[in-house]
C-alpha cells in the first residue's frame, strides 16, 4: 500500500553559486564524500536537493535534510536506512526532477 508520493523539480542553475554553508546544510557526510569525487557537482547537489524535497512531500518528516540519498553499484538512487522507499531522479538540460514513493 502506498503511504505517500512526492515529486520535486529544480532548475540546476540555482545551484551554480552556492556557498559551503548551503552545501553543509543540504548534504550529509555520506553525500559530501560522493560530492567531492564528482565532476558534475552542481547537478549532484541539485539532484540531492530535489530528492530531499520529494521525500519531505511524501513523508512530512521535518528532518528531511538529514537523510542520505546515495546510489547503488548500478547507479540506482536510494534513501539510506529507509526501507520501502522508491526513488527516481532524472535530469534534462536545465532541470532535475525527483519522484519518490513510500510504501507501507
Amino acid at each position: 500500500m502506498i503511504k505517500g508520493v512526492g515529486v520535486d523539480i529544480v532548475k540546476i542553475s540555482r545551484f551554480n553559486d552556492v556557498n559551503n554553508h548551503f552545501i553543509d546544510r543540504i548534504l550529509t557526510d555520506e553525500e559530501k564524500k560522493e560530492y567531492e569525487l564528482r565532476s558534475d557537482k552542481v547537478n549532484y547537489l541539485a539532484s540531492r536537493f530535489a530528492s530531499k524535497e520529494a521525500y519531505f512531500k511524501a513523508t512530512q518528516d521535518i528532518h528531511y535534510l538529514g537523510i542520505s540519498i546515495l546510489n547503488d553499484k548500478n547507479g540506482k538512487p536510494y534513501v539510506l536506512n529507509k526501507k520501502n522507499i522508491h526513488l527516481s531522479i532524472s535530469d534534462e538540460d536545465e532541470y532535475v526532477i525527483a519522484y519518490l514513493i513510500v510504501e507501507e
Side-chain angles (χ1 to χ4, degrees):
M1 174 192 275
I2 294 177
K3 284 178 61 175
V5 175
V7 65
D8 196 64
I9 186 169
V10 296
K11 193 167 187 176
I12 297 168
S13 62
R14 286 181 47 200
F15 300 88
N16 280 337
D17 296 318
V18 297
N19 58 33
N20 287 335
H21 175 73
F22 181 82
I23 293 168
D24 288 341
R25 186 162 182 257
I26 298 304
L27 299 181
T28 63
D29 290 340
E30 294 90 351
E31 292 167 324
K32 284 184 213 170
K33 289 175 190 173
E34 178 64 24
Y35 175 79
E36 291 303 323
L37 300 173
R38 302 290 291 239
S39 60
D40 59 343
K41 286 180 173 35
V42 174
N43 191 304
Y44 181 81
L45 186 58
S47 71
R48 276 20 190 196
F49 184 83
S51 297
K52 292 177 185 205
E53 290 286 312
Y55 176 83
F56 174 75
K57 291 171 182 175
T59 65
Q60 296 298 295
D61 179 356
I62 61 170
H63 303 291
Y64 68 103
L65 292 178
I67 63 165
S68 293
I69 308 293
L70 303 176
N71 296 85
D72 70 13
K73 63 182 179 179
N74 296 318
K76 180 181 176 184
Y78 68 94
V79 182
L80 183 65
N81 298 323
K82 302 287 185 181
K83 294 186 178 195
N84 302 324
I85 292 181
H86 309 280
L87 173 62
S88 181
I89 305 169
S90 293
D91 63 274
E92 180 67 30
D93 296 326
E94 309 176 29
Y95 297 96
V96 168
I97 188 167
Y99 189 82
L100 187 137
I101 298 172
V102 180
E103 286 188 303
E104 195 168 300

